Amino acid sequence: MVTAARAVAPLESLELPRGVALRALSLSVVYRMPRGVARVVDRVDFDLVEGAVTAIVGESGSGKTMLASALLKLVPYPGRVEGRVLYRSELLGRVVDVLSLPKEQLKRIRWREIAMVFQGAQNSFNPTMKIAEHFIDTAEAHGWRDRRAVLERARKLLEMVMLDPDRVLESYPHQLSGGMKQRALIALSLLLDPKVLILDEPTSALDTVSQKVLVDLLKDIHARLRNTMVFITHDLPLILGLAHYAAIMYAFKIVEYGPIEEIVRNPRHPYTAGLLKSVPPLRGDLRRVRTIPGTHPDPINPPRGCRFHPRCPLATEVCRRVEPKLIDVGGRHLVACHRWEEVEVDKLWS
Ligand SMILES: Nc1ncnc2c1ncn2[C@@H]1O[C@H](COP(=O)(O)OP(=O)(O)OP(=O)(O)O)[C@@H](O)[C@H]1O
Ligand code: SF4
Ligand SMILES: [Mg+2]
Protein backbone atom coordinates (compact mmCIF):
# COMPACT_ATOMS: atom_id res chain seq x y z
CA MET A 1 0.00 0.00 0.00
CA VAL A 2 0.94 3.65 -0.24
CA THR A 3 1.31 5.45 3.02
CA ALA A 4 1.27 9.03 4.12
CA ALA A 5 4.75 10.62 3.97
CA ARG A 6 7.19 9.18 6.51
CA ALA A 7 10.58 10.24 7.70
CA VAL A 8 13.42 8.20 6.18
CA ALA A 9 14.52 5.74 8.88
CA PRO A 10 18.18 5.46 9.89
CA LEU A 11 19.89 2.36 8.45
CA GLU A 12 20.44 0.70 11.83
CA SER A 13 16.71 0.55 12.59
CA LEU A 14 15.39 -1.01 9.42
CA GLU A 15 12.09 -2.69 10.06
CA LEU A 16 9.43 -4.08 7.82
CA PRO A 17 5.99 -4.97 9.22
CA ARG A 18 4.58 -8.41 8.56
CA GLY A 19 2.61 -8.58 5.34
CA VAL A 20 4.78 -5.98 3.60
CA ALA A 21 7.07 -7.44 0.93
CA LEU A 22 8.83 -4.21 0.12
CA ARG A 23 8.67 -0.63 1.32
CA ALA A 24 9.84 2.46 -0.57
CA LEU A 25 10.51 5.51 1.59
CA SER A 26 10.73 8.93 0.00
CA LEU A 27 11.88 7.29 -3.20
CA SER A 28 13.05 9.67 -5.93
CA VAL A 29 14.79 9.41 -9.27
CA VAL A 30 16.70 12.54 -10.20
CA TYR A 31 18.28 13.63 -13.47
CA ARG A 32 20.48 16.72 -13.56
CA MET A 33 20.28 18.22 -17.02
CA PRO A 34 21.52 21.48 -18.57
CA ARG A 35 17.90 22.67 -18.57
CA GLY A 36 17.46 21.97 -14.84
CA VAL A 37 16.78 19.16 -12.37
CA ALA A 38 14.17 16.57 -13.33
CA ARG A 39 12.69 14.58 -10.46
CA VAL A 40 11.02 11.86 -12.53
CA VAL A 41 9.93 9.99 -9.40
CA ASP A 42 9.24 12.45 -6.65
CA ARG A 43 9.47 11.38 -2.99
CA VAL A 44 7.15 8.40 -3.22
CA ASP A 45 6.20 6.35 -0.13
CA PHE A 46 4.99 2.97 -1.16
CA ASP A 47 4.39 -0.52 0.33
CA LEU A 48 3.98 -3.68 -1.70
CA VAL A 49 1.58 -6.01 0.07
CA GLU A 50 3.12 -9.47 0.34
CA GLY A 51 1.54 -12.11 -1.87
CA ALA A 52 -0.69 -9.58 -3.66
CA VAL A 53 -0.69 -8.19 -7.18
CA THR A 54 -0.31 -4.42 -7.32
CA ALA A 55 -0.98 -2.52 -10.52
CA ILE A 56 0.85 0.72 -11.24
CA VAL A 57 -1.28 2.72 -13.61
CA GLY A 58 -0.81 6.08 -15.31
CA GLU A 59 -0.38 7.76 -18.65
CA SER A 60 2.82 7.76 -20.66
CA GLY A 61 5.68 9.63 -19.00
CA SER A 62 4.15 9.61 -15.50
CA GLY A 63 7.13 7.75 -14.02
CA LYS A 64 5.91 4.13 -13.82
CA THR A 65 9.03 2.54 -15.32
CA MET A 66 11.33 4.84 -13.34
CA LEU A 67 9.56 3.98 -10.09
CA ALA A 68 9.81 0.23 -10.72
CA SER A 69 13.43 0.47 -11.90
CA ALA A 70 14.34 2.49 -8.80
CA LEU A 71 13.22 -0.42 -6.58
CA LEU A 72 16.19 -2.36 -7.97
CA LYS A 73 18.49 0.64 -8.46
CA LEU A 74 18.37 0.03 -12.18
CA VAL A 75 17.55 3.46 -13.58
CA PRO A 76 19.25 4.53 -16.82
CA TYR A 77 22.47 6.51 -16.45
CA PRO A 78 22.91 9.26 -15.25
CA GLY A 79 19.79 9.06 -13.09
CA ARG A 80 20.28 9.02 -9.31
CA VAL A 81 18.01 7.11 -6.94
CA GLU A 82 17.32 8.69 -3.53
CA GLY A 83 15.41 7.41 -0.48
CA ARG A 84 15.21 3.86 0.81
CA VAL A 85 13.83 0.56 -0.45
CA LEU A 86 13.36 -1.86 2.43
CA TYR A 87 13.19 -5.55 1.67
CA ARG A 88 13.38 -8.69 3.83
CA SER A 89 16.04 -10.72 2.05
CA GLU A 90 16.05 -14.47 2.58
CA LEU A 91 19.46 -14.75 0.94
CA LEU A 92 21.01 -12.16 3.24
CA GLY A 93 18.89 -13.16 6.24
CA ARG A 94 17.81 -9.63 7.24
CA VAL A 95 15.88 -6.53 6.26
CA VAL A 96 18.04 -4.53 3.87
CA ASP A 97 17.91 -1.17 2.18
CA VAL A 98 18.30 -2.27 -1.44
CA LEU A 99 19.68 1.14 -2.38
CA SER A 100 22.56 1.00 0.12
CA LEU A 101 23.65 -2.59 -0.56
CA PRO A 102 27.18 -3.25 -1.82
CA LYS A 103 27.21 -4.13 -5.55
CA GLU A 104 27.80 -7.87 -5.01
CA GLN A 105 24.84 -8.22 -2.63
CA LEU A 106 22.63 -6.15 -4.90
CA LYS A 107 23.50 -8.48 -7.77
CA ARG A 108 22.51 -11.50 -5.65
CA ILE A 109 19.11 -10.03 -4.87
CA ARG A 110 18.26 -8.99 -8.41
CA TRP A 111 16.56 -11.74 -10.35
CA ARG A 112 16.87 -14.27 -7.48
CA GLU A 113 14.67 -12.37 -5.04
CA ILE A 114 13.26 -9.44 -7.02
CA ALA A 115 12.95 -9.89 -10.78
CA MET A 116 11.88 -7.25 -13.26
CA VAL A 117 10.77 -7.88 -16.83
CA PHE A 118 11.43 -4.57 -18.55
CA GLN A 119 9.10 -2.86 -20.98
CA GLY A 120 9.68 -4.26 -24.50
CA ALA A 121 12.17 -6.84 -23.19
CA GLN A 122 10.60 -9.54 -25.37
CA ASN A 123 12.55 -7.90 -28.19
CA SER A 124 15.85 -8.10 -26.34
CA PHE A 125 16.27 -11.88 -26.52
CA ASN A 126 19.60 -12.56 -28.21
CA PRO A 127 18.58 -13.48 -31.78
CA THR A 128 21.51 -15.89 -32.18
CA MET A 129 20.64 -17.97 -29.12
CA LYS A 130 17.94 -20.59 -28.75
CA ILE A 131 15.50 -20.07 -25.85
CA ALA A 132 17.11 -23.00 -23.96
CA GLU A 133 20.44 -21.15 -23.95
CA HIS A 134 18.78 -18.09 -22.45
CA PHE A 135 17.63 -20.20 -19.50
CA ILE A 136 21.07 -21.77 -19.09
CA ASP A 137 22.87 -18.42 -19.33
CA THR A 138 20.60 -16.81 -16.74
CA ALA A 139 21.09 -19.74 -14.34
CA GLU A 140 24.87 -19.71 -14.80
CA ALA A 141 25.04 -15.97 -14.20
CA HIS A 142 23.68 -16.75 -10.73
CA GLY A 143 25.96 -19.71 -10.07
CA TRP A 144 23.56 -22.52 -11.02
CA ARG A 145 25.57 -24.79 -13.32
CA ASP A 146 23.53 -28.03 -13.44
CA ARG A 147 22.25 -27.74 -17.03
CA ARG A 148 19.93 -30.72 -16.75
CA ALA A 149 18.22 -29.37 -13.65
CA VAL A 150 17.95 -25.91 -15.24
CA LEU A 151 16.29 -27.32 -18.35
CA GLU A 152 13.97 -29.44 -16.26
CA ARG A 153 12.81 -26.35 -14.39
CA ALA A 154 12.57 -24.42 -17.66
CA ARG A 155 10.24 -27.09 -19.02
CA LYS A 156 7.96 -26.86 -16.00
CA LEU A 157 7.85 -23.07 -16.22
CA LEU A 158 7.15 -23.08 -19.95
CA GLU A 159 4.30 -25.50 -19.38
CA MET A 160 3.00 -23.17 -16.68
CA VAL A 161 2.84 -20.32 -19.22
CA MET A 162 1.07 -22.64 -21.67
CA LEU A 163 3.95 -23.09 -24.09
CA ASP A 164 5.19 -26.37 -25.55
CA PRO A 165 8.65 -26.81 -23.93
CA ASP A 166 10.00 -29.13 -26.64
CA ARG A 167 9.28 -26.65 -29.35
CA VAL A 168 10.08 -23.43 -27.51
CA LEU A 169 13.40 -24.47 -25.93
CA GLU A 170 14.71 -25.43 -29.36
CA SER A 171 13.45 -22.25 -31.05
CA TYR A 172 15.29 -19.05 -31.85
CA PRO A 173 13.45 -15.91 -30.67
CA HIS A 174 12.38 -14.95 -34.21
CA GLN A 175 10.52 -18.28 -34.50
CA LEU A 176 8.11 -17.24 -31.73
CA SER A 177 5.21 -14.80 -31.95
CA GLY A 178 5.23 -11.65 -29.79
CA GLY A 179 2.83 -13.23 -27.30
CA MET A 180 4.92 -16.42 -27.09
CA LYS A 181 8.11 -14.41 -26.52
CA GLN A 182 6.42 -12.47 -23.75
CA ARG A 183 5.33 -15.72 -22.08
CA ALA A 184 8.80 -17.28 -22.51
CA LEU A 185 10.24 -14.20 -20.86
CA ILE A 186 7.87 -14.50 -17.91
CA ALA A 187 8.93 -18.16 -17.56
CA LEU A 188 12.58 -17.05 -17.66
CA SER A 189 11.98 -14.42 -14.99
CA LEU A 190 10.57 -17.14 -12.71
CA LEU A 191 13.58 -19.44 -13.18
CA LEU A 192 15.21 -18.50 -9.87
CA ASP A 193 11.90 -18.38 -8.01
CA PRO A 194 11.87 -14.67 -7.13
CA LYS A 195 9.63 -13.54 -4.28
CA VAL A 196 8.79 -10.30 -6.08
CA LEU A 197 8.11 -10.14 -9.81
CA ILE A 198 7.75 -6.79 -11.58
CA LEU A 199 6.23 -6.80 -15.06
CA ASP A 200 6.50 -3.53 -16.97
CA GLU A 201 3.69 -3.25 -19.53
CA PRO A 202 3.78 -6.94 -20.49
CA THR A 203 0.64 -6.53 -22.59
CA SER A 204 1.43 -3.31 -24.46
CA ALA A 205 2.69 -4.94 -27.68
CA LEU A 206 -0.17 -7.45 -27.83
CA ASP A 207 -3.57 -7.37 -29.52
CA THR A 208 -6.67 -7.20 -27.30
CA VAL A 209 -7.30 -10.95 -27.31
CA SER A 210 -3.67 -11.84 -26.46
CA GLN A 211 -3.71 -9.22 -23.70
CA LYS A 212 -6.66 -10.93 -22.08
CA VAL A 213 -5.04 -14.36 -22.49
CA LEU A 214 -1.85 -13.14 -20.81
CA VAL A 215 -3.72 -11.53 -17.93
CA ASP A 216 -5.69 -14.77 -17.33
CA LEU A 217 -2.45 -16.72 -17.44
CA LEU A 218 -0.82 -14.44 -14.89
CA LYS A 219 -3.85 -14.89 -12.69
CA ASP A 220 -3.32 -18.68 -12.78
CA ILE A 221 0.40 -18.28 -12.12
CA HIS A 222 -0.27 -16.04 -9.17
CA ALA A 223 -2.85 -18.45 -7.76
CA ARG A 224 -0.17 -21.16 -7.84
CA LEU A 225 2.87 -19.23 -6.67
CA ARG A 226 1.26 -16.64 -4.39
CA ASN A 227 4.22 -14.36 -5.08
CA THR A 228 4.23 -10.58 -4.82
CA MET A 229 3.61 -9.13 -8.28
CA VAL A 230 3.70 -5.66 -9.76
CA PHE A 231 1.95 -5.11 -13.05
CA ILE A 232 2.54 -1.80 -14.84
CA THR A 233 -0.07 -0.74 -17.35
CA HIS A 234 -2.03 2.14 -18.90
CA ASP A 235 -5.19 0.08 -18.80
CA LEU A 236 -6.89 -0.06 -15.41
CA PRO A 237 -9.93 -2.17 -16.37
CA LEU A 238 -7.73 -4.78 -18.12
CA ILE A 239 -6.19 -5.96 -14.87
CA LEU A 240 -9.34 -5.84 -12.74
CA GLY A 241 -9.52 -9.62 -12.29
CA LEU A 242 -5.77 -9.94 -11.66
CA ALA A 243 -4.63 -7.09 -9.42
CA HIS A 244 -5.63 -6.67 -5.80
CA TYR A 245 -4.35 -3.11 -5.38
CA ALA A 246 -3.79 -0.21 -7.74
CA ALA A 247 -1.44 2.75 -7.42
CA ILE A 248 -2.29 5.59 -9.79
CA MET A 249 0.64 7.74 -10.90
CA TYR A 250 0.40 11.27 -12.18
CA ALA A 251 3.35 13.59 -12.77
CA PHE A 252 5.95 11.42 -10.99
CA LYS A 253 3.90 10.84 -7.84
CA ILE A 254 1.28 8.40 -6.63
CA VAL A 255 -1.99 10.32 -6.43
CA GLU A 256 -4.37 7.50 -5.49
CA TYR A 257 -3.97 4.03 -4.03
CA GLY A 258 -6.31 1.33 -2.81
CA PRO A 259 -7.98 -2.01 -3.39
CA ILE A 260 -8.47 -2.05 -7.16
CA GLU A 261 -12.19 -2.75 -7.08
CA GLU A 262 -12.72 0.20 -4.79
CA ILE A 263 -10.62 2.44 -7.06
CA VAL A 264 -12.59 1.42 -10.14
CA ARG A 265 -15.99 1.63 -8.46
CA ASN A 266 -15.34 4.73 -6.44
CA PRO A 267 -12.35 6.76 -7.70
CA ARG A 268 -11.66 9.76 -5.46
CA HIS A 269 -9.07 11.53 -7.61
CA PRO A 270 -10.26 13.42 -10.70
CA TYR A 271 -7.32 12.01 -12.69
CA THR A 272 -8.28 8.40 -11.87
CA ALA A 273 -11.86 9.21 -12.83
CA GLY A 274 -10.58 10.60 -16.12
CA LEU A 275 -8.49 7.49 -16.76
CA LEU A 276 -11.54 5.32 -16.28
CA LYS A 277 -13.54 7.47 -18.65
CA SER A 278 -10.82 7.33 -21.30
CA VAL A 279 -10.83 3.53 -21.69
CA PRO A 280 -13.09 2.35 -24.53
CA PRO A 281 -15.60 -0.22 -23.25
CA LEU A 282 -15.55 -3.72 -24.77
CA ARG A 283 -19.31 -3.34 -25.19
CA GLY A 284 -21.42 -0.24 -25.04
CA ASP A 285 -21.40 3.29 -26.27
CA LEU A 286 -18.03 4.49 -27.60
CA ARG A 287 -19.33 8.07 -27.65
CA ARG A 288 -19.11 8.06 -23.85
CA VAL A 289 -15.31 7.72 -23.99
CA ARG A 290 -13.54 10.95 -23.00
CA THR A 291 -9.85 11.70 -23.10
CA ILE A 292 -8.37 14.00 -20.48
CA PRO A 293 -7.66 17.36 -22.17
CA GLY A 294 -4.20 18.92 -21.79
CA THR A 295 -0.73 17.47 -21.62
CA HIS A 296 1.41 15.75 -19.04
CA PRO A 297 3.76 18.12 -17.15
CA ASP A 298 7.46 18.54 -17.73
CA PRO A 299 9.44 17.02 -14.82
CA ILE A 300 11.79 20.01 -14.74
CA ASN A 301 9.07 22.50 -14.09
CA PRO A 302 5.92 20.79 -12.76
CA PRO A 303 2.90 22.97 -11.88
CA ARG A 304 2.84 24.48 -8.41
CA GLY A 305 0.29 23.22 -5.88
CA CYS A 306 -1.59 20.20 -7.22
CA ARG A 307 0.23 19.08 -10.36
CA PHE A 308 -3.04 18.11 -11.98
CA HIS A 309 -4.63 21.56 -11.56
CA PRO A 310 -4.09 22.81 -15.17
CA ARG A 311 -6.16 19.84 -16.40
CA CYS A 312 -8.63 19.43 -13.56
CA PRO A 313 -12.26 20.55 -13.92
CA LEU A 314 -12.53 20.89 -10.13
CA ALA A 315 -9.42 23.06 -9.65
CA THR A 316 -9.76 26.08 -7.34
CA GLU A 317 -7.39 28.70 -5.98
CA VAL A 318 -6.17 26.43 -3.16
CA CYS A 319 -5.32 23.71 -5.71
CA ARG A 320 -3.04 26.15 -7.54
CA ARG A 321 -1.19 27.03 -4.33
CA VAL A 322 -1.15 24.02 -2.00
CA GLU A 323 0.05 20.55 -2.90
CA PRO A 324 -2.44 17.98 -1.56
CA LYS A 325 -1.01 15.20 0.63
CA LEU A 326 -2.01 11.56 0.34
CA ILE A 327 -4.64 10.94 3.00
CA ASP A 328 -6.52 7.80 3.99
CA VAL A 329 -10.18 8.23 3.11
CA GLY A 330 -11.11 4.85 4.61
CA GLY A 331 -10.54 1.16 3.92
CA ARG A 332 -6.87 1.55 2.88
CA HIS A 333 -7.95 3.95 0.14
CA LEU A 334 -5.56 6.89 -0.14
CA VAL A 335 -5.94 9.98 -2.26
CA ALA A 336 -4.09 13.25 -2.82
CA CYS A 337 -6.82 15.73 -3.71
CA HIS A 338 -8.32 18.69 -1.84
CA ARG A 339 -11.77 17.96 -3.26
CA TRP A 340 -11.89 14.16 -3.18
CA GLU A 341 -15.35 14.13 -1.62
CA GLU A 342 -16.84 15.86 -4.67
CA VAL A 343 -15.49 13.52 -7.34
CA GLU A 344 -18.21 11.93 -9.46
CA VAL A 345 -16.97 10.22 -12.61
CA ASP A 346 -19.97 10.85 -14.82
CA LYS A 347 -20.42 14.48 -13.89
CA LEU A 348 -16.72 15.31 -13.92
CA TRP A 349 -15.77 14.08 -17.37
CA SER A 350 -19.10 14.14 -19.22
N1 LIG B 1 17.05 8.61 -19.64
C1 LIG B 1 16.29 9.61 -19.20
N2 LIG B 1 16.81 10.80 -18.83
C2 LIG B 1 16.04 11.80 -18.35
N3 LIG B 1 14.70 11.71 -18.23
C3 LIG B 1 14.12 10.56 -18.60
C4 LIG B 1 14.87 9.45 -19.11
N4 LIG B 1 14.00 8.46 -19.39
C5 LIG B 1 12.77 8.93 -19.08
N5 LIG B 1 12.84 10.18 -18.62
C6 LIG B 1 11.72 11.02 -18.13
O1 LIG B 1 11.19 10.37 -17.00
C7 LIG B 1 9.79 10.49 -16.97
C8 LIG B 1 9.20 9.19 -16.53
O2 LIG B 1 9.51 8.19 -17.50
P1 LIG B 1 8.99 6.71 -17.41
O3 LIG B 1 9.70 5.95 -18.47
O4 LIG B 1 9.10 6.22 -16.03
O5 LIG B 1 7.46 6.89 -17.79
P2 LIG B 1 6.33 5.76 -17.91
O6 LIG B 1 5.23 6.15 -17.00
O7 LIG B 1 6.93 4.43 -17.72
O8 LIG B 1 5.84 5.97 -19.42
P3 LIG B 1 5.38 4.88 -20.52
O9 LIG B 1 3.97 4.54 -20.15
O10 LIG B 1 5.47 5.62 -21.80
O11 LIG B 1 6.31 3.72 -20.44
C9 LIG B 1 9.35 10.90 -18.37
O12 LIG B 1 8.61 12.06 -18.25
C10 LIG B 1 10.62 11.13 -19.14
O13 LIG B 1 10.59 12.45 -19.62
S1 SF4 C 1 -6.40 18.98 -5.67
FE1 SF4 C 1 -7.66 20.32 -6.90
S2 SF4 C 1 -6.67 20.37 -8.92
FE2 SF4 C 1 -5.84 18.65 -7.79
S3 SF4 C 1 -7.03 16.94 -8.45
FE3 SF4 C 1 -7.97 17.72 -6.59
S4 SF4 C 1 -9.52 19.18 -7.26
FE4 SF4 C 1 -8.19 18.78 -9.00
MG1 LIG D 1 7.24 2.85 -18.95
Side-chain angles (χ1 to χ4, degrees):
M1 64 179 287
V2 177
T3 52
R6 286 175 292 222
V8 175
L11 262 182
E12 59 277 13
S13 64
L14 299 185
E15 277 180 30
L16 207 48
R18 278 190 176 279
V20 177
L22 185 146
R23 166 170 286 181
L25 290 169
S26 201
L27 186 64
S28 293
V29 177
V30 184
Y31 283 88
R32 292 184 193 281
M33 299 194 268
R35 225 159 50 81
V37 176
R39 205 170 266 274
V40 298
V41 173
D42 194 0
R43 287 160 281 209
V44 168
D45 290 299
F46 182 68
D47 282 357
L48 284 184
V49 175
E50 200 162 274
V53 181
T54 300
I56 300 181
V57 189
E59 66 194 331
S60 193
S62 54
K64 305 181 296 297
T65 297
M66 288 289 182
L67 173 62
S69 311
L71 299 177
L72 279 167
K73 212 178 176 184
L74 277 175
V75 302
Y77 180 83
R80 219 185 62 230
V81 185
E82 296 174 353
R84 292 220 193 291
V85 175
L86 305 188
Y87 173 70
R88 190 176 294 102
S89 167
E90 280 179 17
L91 281 169
L92 301 174
R94 62 193 157 91
V95 175
V96 296
D97 172 20
V98 176
L99 304 182
S100 337
L101 282 178
K103 265 194 185 149
E104 262 318 299
Q105 293 186 2
L106 186 56
K107 240 175 98 184
R108 283 179 72 190
I109 284 193
R110 285 184 190 144
W111 210 256
R112 278 171 78 175
E113 294 209 62
I114 310 174
M116 176 160 174
V117 176
F118 280 89
Q119 197 165 0
Q122 72 275 16
N123 302 318
S124 62
F125 274 118
N126 183 332
T128 66
M129 282 165 56
K130 287 183 179 174
I131 299 298
E133 295 170 77
H134 285 85
F135 277 91
I136 288 166
D137 260 25
T138 304
E140 284 184 350
H142 291 273
W144 186 12
R145 300 194 194 286
D146 181 346
R147 292 168 72 98
R148 259 185 51 191
V150 173
L151 288 176
E152 205 170 300
R153 176 149 173 86
R155 284 177 178 283
K156 287 205 177 111
L157 290 168
L158 288 168
E159 273 170 10
M160 192 162 76
V161 297
M162 309 295 265
L163 290 173
D164 171 3
D166 289 329
R167 183 182 152 206
V168 170
L169 286 171
E170 284 308 306
S171 296
Y172 287 96
H174 74 269
Q175 292 172 306
L176 306 179
S177 70
M180 288 168 84
K181 272 192 276 194
Q182 188 59 272
R183 279 185 271 160
L185 192 60
I186 290 168
L188 183 62
S189 71
L190 292 169
L191 182 64
L192 302 168
D193 196 20
K195 302 290 163 283
V196 180
L197 176 63
I198 303 169
L199 301 169
D200 192 356
E201 308 233 18
T203 54
S204 63
L206 306 178
D207 59 69
T208 320
V209 175
S210 311
Q211 286 183 358
K212 179 84 178 68
V213 169
L214 188 69
V215 167
D216 287 345
L217 190 65
L218 287 168
K219 206 170 149 188
D220 288 346
I221 292 174
H222 184 261
R224 266 206 235 181
L225 304 180
R226 296 277 161 211
N227 53 351
T228 304
M229 251 192 226
V230 176
F231 190 111
I232 298 175
T233 181
H234 291 100
D235 188 346
L236 189 47
L238 174 73
I239 32 90
L240 243 187
L242 168 68
H244 305 97
Y245 297 94
I248 312 294
M249 280 196 89
Y250 183 75
F252 327 109
K253 285 178 170 285
I254 290 171
V255 294
E256 186 160 14
Y257 171 89
I260 191 161
E261 283 179 11
E262 168 69 8
I263 297 257
V264 169
R265 204 177 41 235
N266 189 24
R268 299 286 85 202
H269 196 285
Y271 175 65
T272 313
L275 274 185
L276 286 165
K277 267 299 222 192
S278 64
V279 178
L282 286 176
R283 286 179 290 275
D285 188 355
L286 280 175
R287 285 169 305 184
R288 291 178 57 124
V289 177
R290 292 277 178 274
T291 52
I292 303 173
T295 52
H296 195 266
D298 176 0
I300 290 184
N301 196 14
R304 215 178 140 221
C306 172
R307 292 179 178 190
F308 191 54
H309 83 249
R311 302 171 75 184
C312 182
L314 290 184
T316 59
E317 191 44 38
V318 69
C319 304
R320 289 183 263 278
R321 280 190 294 106
V322 183
E323 182 167 10
K325 300 247 176 298
L326 265 179
I327 55 161
D328 193 336
V329 297
R332 274 191 163 183
H333 187 167
L334 292 104
V335 62
C337 171
H338 296 303
R339 302 186 66 185
W340 62 271
E341 283 164 300
E342 296 160 69
V343 173
E344 285 179 59
V345 183
D346 286 324
K347 286 192 188 156
L348 201 57
W349 296 105
S350 55

